[in-house]
Amino acid sequence: MADTVAETQRLRLRTWDEDDADRFYAIMNTPSVMRFLGGVQAPDAWRAAFDRLMTYQRELGFTFWIVERLADREMLGFCGLKRVNYDGAPNAGEVEIGWRLRDSAWGQGIAKEAAIATLDLGFTRFAAPSIVAVTTLHNRASWGLMERLGMVRDPALDYDDPRLPALNPMRQWRLLPEAWTSR
Ligand SMILES: CC(C)(COP(=O)(O)OP(=O)(O)OC[C@H]1O[C@@H](n2cnc3c(N)ncnc32)[C@H](O)[C@@H]1OP(=O)(O)O)[C@@H](O)C(=O)NCCC(=O)NCCS
């Protein structure tokens, strides 16, 4: 049974059930959603990613959680926390926020609403000393959201991801708890 992690005005963030994997793959594995994430995923790549998400929840107590619409329980994507673990990243282990919504949920402030709840959890319940977010400059929707959340780009954390040569360099934005509480 999934646990509720947070509720906002329109959304529930919750843990994953085993049977969420197929539904998530069916609605999220589109060229537009995966455009800046290496393209559509083969089933075995998604299964490996899903297993990693489950492992983060088990070992860290957080992961990229399911974002569900409160009104009808429809799955909209994920948003949550993990630790940086990318090949080439200079800050392995730092707490990272990440998001991915189905395209029908874009442009409604849903990612921002889920991200605010996630940052609150990150700085309170999980006492993160800092939270970063990673993307490529090509992904304007993602870094635009980072900046709307008050995150600040840290050029010292730029790196090249060997899996995503067409998108390099990867860039990172950072938020400190003081900046979050005084926003
Ligand atoms: C990155 C991503 C989550 C951003 O989603 P988003 O919907 O653009 O982000 P927000 O929730 O902040 O919504 C902002 C938009 O909603 C609009 N909006 C509508 N109602 C709103 C409300 N109540 N509150 C805030 N914004 C609202 C804003 O005007 C803005 O529109 P604009 O983009 O036309 O200027 C989304 O593009 C996505 O899932 N992409 C695919 C996966 C991906 O690349 N993930 C990131 C990997 S690094």
Side-chain angles (χ1 to χ4, degrees):
M1 259 282 279
D3 292 324
T4 297
V5 180
E7 271 190 16
T8 67
Q9 200 182 347
R10 292 178 288 179
L11 308 171
R12 174 163 93 124
L13 272 61
R14 64 163 177 84
T15 58
W16 295 74
D17 280 331
E18 185 59 37
D19 60 4
D20 290 321
D22 288 349
R23 174 79 182 142
F24 190 89
Y25 186 72
I27 63 172
M28 301 293 294
N29 193 37
T30 68
S32 50
V33 170
M34 298 305 289
R35 180 169 170 208
F36 301 114
L37 297 163
V40 291
Q41 271 180 324
D44 58 340
W46 164 240
R47 176 40 71 172
F50 176 74
D51 289 345
R52 287 195 297 276
L53 292 172
M54 299 297 268
T55 303
Y56 302 148
Q57 180 68 45
R58 221 173 29 249
E59 295 184 353
L60 305 172
F62 50 76
T63 190
F64 289 168
W65 296 295
I66 297 267
V67 176
E68 213 175 62
R69 191 161 47 212
L70 268 183
D72 57 2
R73 296 282 149 117
E74 185 61 37
M75 187 190 286
L76 302 180
F78 69 44
C79 181
L81 304 167
K82 61 188 268 296
R83 287 190 184 274
V84 173
N85 56 354
Y86 306 109
D87 286 350
N91 56 334
E94 278 209 85
V95 178
E96 174 197 357
I97 185 168
W99 38 65
R100 186 185 305 177
L101 297 184
R102 60 193 298 179
D103 43 18
S104 60
W106 298 355
Q108 302 164 46
I110 289 173
K112 187 173 178 197
E113 191 169 318
I116 288 171
T118 298
L119 290 167
D120 277 337
L121 284 165
F123 288 128
T124 56
R125 181 159 154 201
F126 300 108
S130 166
I131 296 179
V132 297
V134 182
T135 196
T136 159
L137 277 193
H138 300 281
N139 196 347
R140 181 169 239 297
S142 193
W143 65 256
L145 173 55
M146 294 170 197
E147 300 209 331
R148 288 195 297 282
L149 291 164
M151 304 187 82
V152 177
R153 194 165 104 68
D154 184 348
L157 300 181
D158 287 1
Y159 68 99
D160 284 338
D161 188 326
R163 297 167 314 153
L164 301 169
L167 300 177
N168 283 326
M170 304 308 290
R171 319 267 190 175
Q172 301 194 51
W173 278 251
R174 180 189 292 288
L175 188 62
L176 295 172
E178 308 82 78
W180 184 242
T181 45
S182 66
R183 78 193 188 280

